[in-house]
Amino acid sequence: MTELPIDQVRTLLAVVDEGTFDAAAAALHVTPSAVSQRIKTLEQRVGRVLLMRTKPVRPTESGQVVVRFARQLAALNQDARRELGIDGQPGPARLSIAVNADSLATWFLPAITRVPRDPPVCFELYREDETRTAELLREGRVMAAVTSSPDPVAGCLVRPLGLARYLPAANPDFVARHRSGRLRRWLPGAPVIVFDQADELQDRFVRALSGVDAAEDRHHVPTSEGFRDAVAAGLGWGLVPEPQARPLLESGALVELEPGLHWDVPLYWQQWKLDVRALALVADTITAAAAEALHPLPS
């Protein structure tokens, strides 16, 4: 095998994006049998199963590699056509980025407004926990991600961004009701706010403090702003992003569970190794903004 046939690679991407062979056929203006034959031929060519025939279909680990290649190829094609002026009036570059909710709610959106407008860029943002954004890169669903992992996904490069600082805080009345002795003794039994069922941030904090997880009495609030408001309302304690916590601490709506205590999450920028001008500009802008908004990583 010397190369991957482009029509077959693009067909695989269409099937993954559309979810079924029939939908991919309609998007490509070919018959479902033609789509099926292209996928079968591609799998025979690489000697591996590339798709799990579920509903919707899902790429296998090998399929993710081909999907990522297909998206990279499309990005390079778009960038080249724009520079050559082939499209006449080309549309904006479309960049898909995975980012965690707390970054979205604090520093990330102001950062992307600083991205130069030449070339024009449209963003497709995927909200995902920073511990899972790298998986979207691995699957080929996004071109870049804000992640907590310093280990590069295959075919990607990594830049350090900084430390996102969280402050353990609660409503003053909540603390008055639940405080009993030292923090490590009473916090594991106090009601807690978590983002969703996959959120382990509060558990990791309490585990480091006392050796056990946070309480089973927990409220799930799946937005960064809602999480902050739930803590301020007294439903439970939580680790609130420092930029969101500071104004509420100053107003007295929140109190720190222990002055000076914090929890830091390292953040990194990972992106495809592609020479695409728009992606490079975004990476430079995000890195510069993060240096202003986040605490420095230890050297």
Side-chain angles (χ1 to χ4, degrees):
M1 183 186 71
T2 57
E3 62 182 26
L4 297 176
I6 300 304
D7 63 331
Q8 295 171 14
V9 168
R10 289 173 173 164
T11 299
L12 179 74
L13 179 60
V15 173
V16 171
D17 284 346
E18 300 297 330
T20 67
F21 281 58
D22 287 347
L28 295 171
H29 307 290
V30 298
T31 65
S33 62
V35 169
S36 181
Q37 185 58 46
R38 288 179 189 177
I39 299 300
K40 181 179 179 181
T41 302
L42 182 60
E43 289 180 325
Q44 291 173 340
R45 189 174 184 87
V46 301
R48 302 179 185 186
V49 175
L50 300 176
L51 290 177
M52 290 181 280
R53 271 66 170 178
T54 54
K55 288 189 177 181
V57 299
R58 293 171 53 204
T60 63
E61 187 173 344
S62 296
Q64 290 173 7
V65 175
V66 180
V67 167
R68 188 167 63 243
F69 168 67
R71 293 199 196 282
Q72 292 173 344
L73 189 66
L76 287 170
N77 179 62
Q78 183 187 41
D79 197 53
R81 291 177 67 88
R82 182 178 292 104
E83 289 195 25
L84 292 169
I86 292 175
D87 291 326
Q89 296 295 323
R94 297 188 175 275
L95 302 183
S96 52
I97 302 172
V99 59
N100 60 305
D102 291 334
S103 292
L104 270 176
T106 52
W107 64 273
F108 190 85
L109 287 179
I112 61 176
T113 65
R114 302 186 192 178
V115 175
R117 298 178 184 240
D118 183 21
V121 178
C122 280
F123 296 99
E124 183 178 4
L125 301 182
Y126 290 73
R127 188 188 68 184
E128 187 58 90
D129 186 84
E130 66 276 2
T131 61
R132 302 194 297 272
T133 49
E135 185 60 30
L136 299 186
L137 269 174
R138 195 170 290 110
E139 294 172 358
R141 293 172 59 189
V142 298
M143 303 171 69
V146 174
T147 173
S148 60
S149 175
D151 301 320
V153 171
C156 293
L157 56 83
V158 180
R159 293 189 188 188
L161 292 178
L163 295 172
R165 179 156 295 176
Y166 292 80
L167 304 181
N171 174 286
D173 293 336
F174 177 91
V175 173
R177 289 196 307 272
H178 292 278
R179 176 183 287 159
S180 178
R182 300 184 66 178
L183 181 64
R184 65 183 179 86
R185 293 189 176 276
W186 67 266
L187 191 62
V192 61
I193 311 296
V194 297
F195 194 82
D196 55 27
Q197 292 188 356
D199 179 14
E200 296 183 350
L201 189 63
Q202 278 66 216
D203 286 320
R204 291 198 296 269
F205 174 76
V206 177
R207 206 177 299 135
L209 193 69
S210 63
V212 299
D213 287 345
E216 292 186 6
D217 183 0
R218 55 185 62 195
H219 303 279
H220 297 86
V221 184
T223 68
S224 188
E225 296 84 353
F227 182 102
R228 173 203 61 199
D229 293 344
V231 174
L235 285 177
W237 73 274
L239 288 163
V240 183
E242 185 178 41
Q244 294 180 326
R246 286 299 179 198
L248 296 177
L249 291 170
E250 292 170 3
S251 70
L254 287 179
V255 294
E256 294 181 79
L257 299 185
E258 187 171 304
L261 189 62
H262 59 263
W263 186 260
D264 288 340
V265 175
L267 296 179
Y268 302 86
W269 174 262
Q270 291 208 36
Q271 69 174 66
W272 292 346
K273 292 179 180 177
L274 287 185
D275 186 16
V276 173
R277 182 165 177 258
L279 185 57
L281 288 172
V282 170
D284 289 343
T285 304
I286 294 299
T287 303
E292 298 174 8
L294 303 175
H295 292 266
L297 284 159
S299 53

